[in-house]
Amino acid sequence: MNNPVLLENLRCIPDFPKKGINFRDVTTLYKNAECMQIMLNEMYELYKDKGITKIVGVESRGFIMASALAAKLGAGFVLARKSGKLPSTVIKESFSKEYGVDTIEMHLDSIDENDVVLIHDDLLATGGTALATYKLVKHFQPKQIYMNFIIEIKDEGLHGRDLFKGLADVTTLLVI
């Protein structure tokens, strides 16, 4: 899709959080009303006819557009959070990151087998967080799982999308 307005407003911070990484800062898209509307409209067009019943937002930047799209689609919103943040019974999935292991959790009563689920996060790079979230959602055995990201990073030799071949339909608004 690579909307030029989104590309123009996306900030890149070189060498953050460490040397050699070009950090893509989506906060510059969120603070711009036109960008927010473009992202919401593009996501709505992608999913308006998919029968989505639940949208899972991944902590924390995934919460923003996931909740807005859920409201526009008339779907429920489910939180995928870091360990220890949800108050009720949870299921969890741990995954490796470049600097250690992390865990993501969802409430045990979040999704059922009748749901059509869209998982949304701001960024797809290595795919570790996204794959852990996918595994959590898959535990509930919903009818269908879709995945959406604002940005997919490919220019640094990252292939996060490859983790989902044959598992889920993946869409992104920007491919960099």
Side-chain angles (χ1 to χ4, degrees):
M1 298 185 134
N2 280 4
N3 182 293
V5 175
L6 298 180
L7 289 170
E8 289 168 15
N9 283 279
L10 179 64
R11 178 170 42 205
C12 180
I13 302 170
D15 298 322
F16 183 84
K18 62 183 186 180
K19 188 157 183 66
I21 293 177
N22 291 313
F23 186 82
R24 300 317 197 277
D25 182 10
V26 296
T27 65
T28 55
L29 301 178
Y30 295 148
K31 75 177 184 175
N32 181 306
E34 180 184 12
C35 290
M36 286 287 289
Q37 199 61 55
I38 289 168
M39 290 187 295
L40 184 57
N41 289 341
E42 286 187 5
M43 289 169 48
Y44 177 77
E45 288 301 316
L46 287 168
Y47 294 103
K48 67 182 180 185
D49 298 322
K50 302 285 188 191
I52 303 294
T53 59
K54 301 270 175 68
I55 300 180
V56 174
V58 182
E59 187 167 335
S60 66
R61 291 179 302 264
F63 293 169
I64 297 164
M65 294 309 297
S67 59
L69 183 60
K72 189 163 183 160
L73 288 173
F77 173 65
V78 175
L79 297 109
R81 298 217 59 193
K82 292 179 181 172
S83 187
K85 305 257 181 149
L86 293 171
S88 191
T89 306
V90 298
I91 60 168
K92 41 179 94 181
E93 185 73 32
S94 294
F95 59 99
S96 296
K97 296 176 84 169
E98 61 273 8
Y99 46 85
V101 175
D102 210 345
T103 301
I104 197 154
E105 300 178 340
M106 292 173 59
H107 279 139
L108 195 54
D109 60 357
S110 297
I111 296 168
D112 67 43
E113 64 278 350
N114 295 312
D115 284 316
V116 175
V117 178
L118 171 63
I119 298 169
H120 172 78
D121 204 358
D122 67 322
L123 182 73
L124 176 60
T126 63
T129 304
L131 185 59
T133 306
Y134 173 85
K135 288 178 181 178
L136 281 178
V137 171
K138 188 71 175 165
H139 166 84
F140 296 103
Q141 300 178 345
K143 288 181 182 178
Q144 179 78 37
I145 301 173
Y146 297 96
M147 302 194 70
N148 173 264
F149 304 88
I150 296 171
I151 302 166
E152 178 180 1
I153 298 182
K154 290 181 119 177
D155 71 350
E156 297 170 19
L158 300 172
H159 303 284
R161 178 184 290 264
D162 294 346
L163 296 174
F164 302 99
K165 284 186 179 169
L167 298 178
D169 178 45
V170 177
T171 60
T172 57
L173 303 184
L174 300 172
V175 178
I176 299 172

